[in-house]
């Protein structure tokens, strides 16, 4: 459920970055993709850490080698996951600073060099087709983000354990 919300919102931002002229992977869309990938990696590391810690605590023979290895691996995954989460936080802050300081408004970033390589180009005057494609991407991304957030809130509301008084 949390992973669907994560990729529903980050995916919407990536879609906008991908379909805005010049299309494909540029600095903005790569930043969104990195943020989503690192967030997913952190989620997986912390989930596996919890599973290993739970299995190590449930083992009645706590002195066995497999239990100690599982517990040590759980601690390593937990601390590494937290370190990646802190680094991802700084990545999000830096992406926001770059966005609002017009750092991304350079030929390198505007021309999508990461995905186009030597065939990269910069759009100076947008055509009507490019504007329509960008508008469709914005609308699709808005629908994706709102739908995933609404579904998350709806499911969360269904899972609340409240009893009538």
């Amino acid at each position: 459920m949390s992973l669907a919300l994560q990729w529903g919102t980050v995916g919407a931002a990536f879609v906008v970055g991908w379909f805005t002229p010049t299309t494909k992977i540029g600095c903005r869309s790569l930043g969104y993709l990195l943020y989503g990938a690192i967030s997913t990696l952190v989620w997986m590391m912390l989930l596996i850490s919890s599973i290993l810690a739970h299995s190590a605590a449930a083992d009645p023979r706590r002195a066995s080698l497999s239990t100690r290895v599982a517990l040590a691996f759980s601690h390593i995954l937990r601390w590494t996951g937290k370190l990646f989460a802190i680094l991802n936080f700084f990545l999000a802050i830096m992406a926001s600073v770059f966005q609002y300081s017009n750092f991304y408004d350079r030929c390198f970033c505007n021309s999508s060099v990461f995905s186009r390589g030597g065939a990269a180009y910069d759009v100076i005057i947008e055509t009507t087709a490019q504007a329509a494609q960008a508008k469709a991407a914005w609308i699709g991304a808005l629908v994706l983000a709102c739908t995933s957030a609404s579904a998350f809130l709806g499911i969360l509301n269904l899972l609340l354990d409240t009893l009538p008084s």
Side-chain angles (χ1 to χ4, degrees):
M1 187 163 75
S2 60
L3 202 57
L5 176 66
Q6 164 71 27
W7 279 105
T9 53
V10 171
F14 179 75
V15 164
V16 168
W18 179 273
F19 286 108
T20 300
T22 304
T23 58
K24 298 196 177 179
I25 294 183
C27 295
R28 286 180 186 91
S29 57
L30 183 63
Y32 301 142
L33 189 61
L34 278 174
Y35 175 77
I38 294 171
S39 296
T40 303
L41 178 67
V42 167
W43 177 81
M44 289 175 12
M45 291 172 84
L46 294 178
L47 180 68
I48 293 170
S49 170
S50 293
I51 292 169
L52 289 174
H54 181 72
S55 70
D59 191 2
R61 307 164 296 151
R62 293 199 179 190
S64 69
L65 178 64
S66 63
T67 303
R68 288 188 307 221
V69 169
L71 195 58
F73 197 56
S74 168
H75 292 312
I76 291 169
L77 279 175
R78 185 178 72 235
W79 285 105
T80 307
K82 288 179 181 181
L83 176 67
F84 281 177
I86 291 168
L87 293 175
N88 207 24
F89 162 76
F90 286 114
L91 175 69
I93 296 298
M94 288 301 297
S96 297
V97 168
F98 287 166
Q99 181 76 31
Y100 291 116
S101 67
N102 289 332
F103 180 83
Y104 288 149
D105 198 19
R106 299 167 185 248
C107 290
F108 184 82
C109 290
N110 287 338
S111 60
S112 299
V113 172
F114 292 117
S115 60
R116 295 188 183 273
Y121 62 91
D122 194 1
V123 174
I124 297 174
I125 299 173
E126 214 173 63
T127 65
T128 307
Q130 289 172 330
Q133 180 183 9
K135 183 178 180 181
W138 275 87
I139 291 170
L142 181 66
V143 169
L144 176 62
C146 289
T147 303
S148 64
S150 298
F152 177 79
L153 290 174
I155 291 171
L156 194 64
N157 194 23
L158 288 174
L159 295 176
L160 284 177
D161 191 20
T162 57
L163 296 173
S165 50

